[in-house]
Amino acid sequence: MKPATFTYCSPSTIEEAVKLLEEYGDTGKIIAGGQSFIPILNMRMSEPECLIDINQINELNGVRVEEGVLKIGALTKQRELEQSDAIKIHVPILSEATPYIGHVQTRNRGTVGGSVAHADPSAELPLCFLALDAEIVIQSIDGTRKISINDFFITYLTTEVMPEEILTEIHVPLSEHTGYAFEEFSRRHGDFALAAVACILSVDEIGKVDKVRLVLGGVDAIPLLAEEAMEYLAGKSITEETIERAVELAVKDADPDEDLHASKEYRVHMAKVLTRKALIKAYNRALGKEV
Amino acid sequence: MSNLSIEQKMNVSLSINGREVEAEAEPRKLLSDFIREDLGLTGTHVGCEHGVCGSCTVLYNGAAVRSCLMFAVQANGSDIQTIEGLAKNGEQHVLQQSFTECHGLQCGFCTPGILMSSLEMLNSGEEPTKQEIKEMLSGHLCRCTGYTGIIAAIERACGIKKCKEGDN
Ligand SMILES: Cc1cc2nc3c(=O)[nH]c(=O)nc-3n(C[C@@H](O)[C@H](O)[C@H](O)COP(=O)(O)OP(=O)(O)OC[C@H]3O[C@@H](n4cnc5c(N)ncnc54)[C@H](O)[C@@H]3O)c2cc1C
Ligand code: FES
Ligand code: FES
C-alpha cells in the first residue's frame, strides 16, 4: 500500500497556504497530522495532485485565552490538548475526551483542526466542540470567515470548509458552566466510538438545570445535537423521571448505520446508556459534588 | 499550475540515532520505507501501513509516532530514533534487558515498535501506572505474548531508578 505520486508543498505562512489552495482547487489537499489522511492515501482512496503540508505554519499552533474566548490553533497536537493546563482549567471536557482519540502514538501527530475538518461522526473533538458551542475560523485568499459549529457539519466526512479554504482556529466561549461529562464506548481502547456523548450543563441557585447542551456521536452522519432533550431539561430538576424522558428525546432522531461492529439497535441502546451517565455526571459536577 | 515534476525527488537530511544522514526521496515515500530501504535500518517493522498495528513506531523529535503515517520529506531536519540506536557499545538497553527477563517477546515482530513507545514513556521520567502502560500499549498489536510479559517488562524498566536512556 503506497500512495500515488503527488507534488509536495510546505508553506510556512497561512497566506502562502491559501494561495496554493486557490491554485490547485479540487486537486490540492491539506495534510496536517496525516493520521486519517495518510491511511486514505496509502489505500489510494484519494489521489490528489498536490499535498499542502501545513506543519511548518507556526501561527496555526497553540492555545490561548483572549477576551473570554479560548482560541485553539488548528495545528495544535491532540497530545498537547490532552496535557495543556489552560485546557484543564477552562474546558476540562476536552482534557477528559482527548485520551479517547486513537493512541498516544497517533495523538503525538494528529491535530485538533484535522480532527474537526475530517468530521468523522464518532470522533471525540467534533462532539465536544459542538457541546461547547464553538466557532470555527476559516480562511481563503478572499479573507477570513467565522461559522458557528451548529452549521458546520454537513454529512459524513463533509464540512463547510471548501476546497480552497483552510480551517485556522477553533474559538470556545468561556462560560460559567461547571457541569460537563464525556462518555464513550468502543470495542477496544483507541478504536473509534460505537457511541459517545458530550454534555455541558449549568444549574441555577436552586439546583435546577439552567442551560444544557447535549451531543450524541456515532448515531448519525454528523454529531447529533439533542435539541429536544435540551429544551425539555431547561428549568427542570434532574430526577430519574426527567432523565429518562430526556434520554428518550435525545435518541429520537438517532439513525445509526449498521456495520460489522454493531447493529443499529445496539448503537441506539449504547447512546441511551451513555446519555444517562453523562447527564448524571454533568449534573453532579455542576452541583459541586465529587464524581 | 506548478511546474514541479511529481516524480522529482527532494532532499531529506535528518539525524538518525545520533548520526547525520542525507538522501533523496520522492515526496510519496513513507518514512518507514525511507528508514528501511534508503537508510538500510530494517529493525523498524511494517505491518499494516495504516496506523493500526504500531510495529513501525519510531521516536520523532522524542515523540513516539507511526513512521508509516509520515512522509520522509516531512522528517527533514528532525531527530529520529529507531531500535538500532537502543543498545550502546554492545550492551543492551535496560528496556531490552527487561523484555528478555520478563518474557516480553516471542516472535519479535511487534517488539521494536513497542520498545520505542516504551522509550518515550521511560524518558518522560515519571513512573507510569499499570493502567498508563496498558493505554500506551493499546497502540500496539502483539499476536504472540498476550501482553502480560510486556507489561511486566515495562514496569520493571521504569521502576529501575535513573535508568533513563543512555544510562543503561
Ligand atoms: C489507529 C488510529 C486510531 C484512531 N482513532 C481515532 C479515534 O478514536 N477518534 C478520532 O477522532 N480519531 C481517531 N483517529 C484519527 C485521528 O488520529 C486523526 O488525527 C484525525 O482524524 C485527523 O487529524 P490529522 O491532524 O491527523 O489530519 P489529517 O489526517 O492530516 O487530515 C484529515 C483531513 O482533514 C483535512 N484537514 C486537516 N487539517 C485541516 C485544516 N487545518 N483545514 C482544512 N482541512 C484540514 C485534510 O485535508 C484531510 O482531508 C485514529 C487514527 C488512527 C491511525
Ligand atoms: S505499519 Fe505503521 S502502524 Fe502498522
Ligand atoms: S512477539 Fe510476536 S507479535 Fe508480539
Side-chain angles (χ1 to χ4, degrees):
Chain A
M1 293 201 314
K2 312 292 173 193
T5 49
F6 54 80
T7 301
Y8 174 79
C9 307
S10 180
S12 49
T13 63
I14 300 176
E15 238 78 284
E16 285 170 45
V18 292
K19 263 195 210 140
L20 286 163
L21 284 167
E22 185 67 24
E23 184 184 336
Y24 281 95
D26 262 346
T27 62
K29 281 287 279 176
I30 288 176
I31 178 166
Q35 303 299 292
S36 291
F37 196 39
I38 297 185
I40 291 173
L41 292 171
N42 284 357
M43 294 185 245
R44 302 227 180 168
M45 293 185 324
S46 167
E47 298 187 13
E49 203 174 299
C50 177
L51 275 201
I52 302 158
D53 184 351
I54 60 173
N55 280 285
Q56 302 306 320
I57 309 181
N58 291 331
E59 54 190 316
L60 287 176
N61 263 314
V63 174
R64 61 187 202 282
V65 178
E66 253 174 39
E67 293 156 8
V69 178
L70 181 92
K71 301 183 174 176
I72 306 173
L75 205 55
T76 308
K77 298 271 183 283
Q78 292 152 7
R79 183 78 171 141
E80 195 180 324
L81 199 70
E82 180 181 355
Q83 295 177 328
S84 156
D85 287 331
I87 296 290
K88 264 182 210 129
I89 295 165
H90 296 295
V91 267
I93 189 171
L94 291 176
S95 317
E96 194 158 293
T98 311
Y100 288 101
I101 309 171
H103 316 281
V104 60
Q105 300 86 348
T106 63
R107 296 197 292 278
N108 274 337
R109 268 313 272 170
T111 67
V112 176
S115 182
V116 175
H118 191 60
D120 188 293
S122 60
E124 292 76 8
L125 293 179
L127 296 191
C128 291
F129 288 127
L130 185 53
L132 289 162
D133 208 358
E135 272 188 319
I136 309 293
V137 187
I138 301 170
Q139 204 168 318
S140 70
I141 55 162
D142 299 327
T144 302
R145 65 183 181 114
K146 262 197 212 173
I147 173 165
S148 160
I149 191 145
N150 298 301
D151 308 318
F152 181 74
F153 300 105
I154 298 175
T155 182
Y156 193 72
L157 307 187
T158 310
T159 71
E160 276 292 329
V161 183
M162 295 295 129
E164 64 287 351
E165 290 180 318
I166 177 170
L167 190 166
T168 55
E169 270 186 343
I170 295 143
H171 290 181
V172 178
L174 297 179
S175 65
E176 289 303 302
H177 78 264
T178 43
Y180 65 92
F182 183 84
E183 298 288 340
E184 155 165 342
F185 182 75
S186 60
R187 293 181 68 202
R188 295 172 309 178
H189 181 84
D191 283 3
F192 271 99
L194 291 183
V197 174
C199 178
I200 295 290
L201 190 150
S202 59
V203 290
D204 61 18
E205 59 287 349
I206 53 166
K208 287 197 165 114
V209 174
D210 182 21
K211 277 192 202 123
V212 57
R213 278 179 74 90
L214 183 66
V215 182
L216 277 57
V219 295
D220 207 344
I222 58 171
L224 197 68
L225 187 67
E227 282 174 287
E228 280 187 50
M230 283 156 43
E231 269 163 38
Y232 167 77
L233 282 172
K236 295 215 168 52
S237 299
I238 292 280
T239 64
E240 261 176 47
E241 288 78 47
T242 55
I243 287 183
E244 285 321 305
R245 180 83 188 115
V247 165
E248 288 305 325
L249 289 172
V251 298
K252 234 181 83 189
D253 297 326
D255 186 18
D257 282 336
E258 194 157 275
D259 60 20
L260 80 165
H261 301 299
S263 66
K264 218 177 176 80
E265 293 72 26
Y266 185 70
R267 281 180 200 260
V268 173
H269 174 73
M270 279 318 298
K272 284 187 185 177
V273 172
L274 298 175
T275 302
R276 200 174 291 126
K277 276 174 93 171
L279 280 172
I280 294 170
K281 192 185 263 185
Y283 183 63
N284 281 331
R285 277 176 167 155
L287 292 177
K289 287 192 200 156
E290 266 307 306
V291 275
Chain B
M1 276 298 176
S2 157
N3 293 323
L4 245 180
S5 153
I6 45 179
E7 302 286 339
Q8 195 175 328
K9 292 195 171 180
M10 297 175 80
N11 196 55
V12 181
S13 62
L14 50 79
S15 154
I16 189 135
N17 303 323
R19 182 166 59 94
E20 301 296 325
V21 292
E22 214 175 316
E24 301 237 293
E26 253 188 274
R28 65 170 173 154
K29 184 123 202 175
L30 298 173
L31 179 59
S32 46
D33 288 338
F34 182 75
I35 291 171
R36 290 173 56 82
E37 295 166 7
D38 298 70
L39 304 182
L41 300 172
T42 53
T44 298
H45 291 169
V46 169
C48 68
E49 287 190 330
H50 61 281
V52 174
C53 75
S55 62
C56 67
T57 305
V58 300
L59 295 194
Y60 166 78
N61 294 332
V65 302
R66 316 297 213 201
S67 61
C68 73
L69 296 189
M70 270 186 82
F71 294 109
V73 290
Q74 293 186 293
N76 191 29
S78 70
D79 178 33
I80 305 281
Q81 282 171 280
T82 67
I83 187 69
E84 285 88 351
L86 219 48
K88 296 262 154 66
N89 308 319
E91 282 244 346
Q92 280 194 330
H93 186 271
V94 61
L95 274 169
Q96 291 168 310
Q97 288 169 14
S98 299
F99 269 65
T100 312
E101 280 170 33
C102 303
H103 302 287
L105 70 149
Q106 287 178 31
C107 80
F109 190 85
C110 67
T111 317
I114 293 184
L115 286 176
M116 297 325 282
S117 285
S118 305
L119 184 61
E120 182 193 33
M121 207 165 214
L122 195 69
N123 285 345
S124 78
E126 280 165 42
E127 206 171 314
T129 62
K130 193 172 233 151
Q131 188 54 33
E132 284 166 344
I133 295 174
K134 284 184 176 174
E135 282 184 19
M136 176 278 274
L137 283 173
S138 76
H140 291 277
L141 289 180
C142 174
R143 298 291 82 167
C144 303
T145 63
Y147 299 96
T148 322
I150 299 178
I151 295 167
I154 299 171
E155 275 186 317
R156 179 187 179 277
C158 292
I160 298 173
K161 276 216 168 67
K162 290 201 183 113
C163 65
K164 272 202 175 181
E165 198 205 348
D167 300 342
N168 270 334

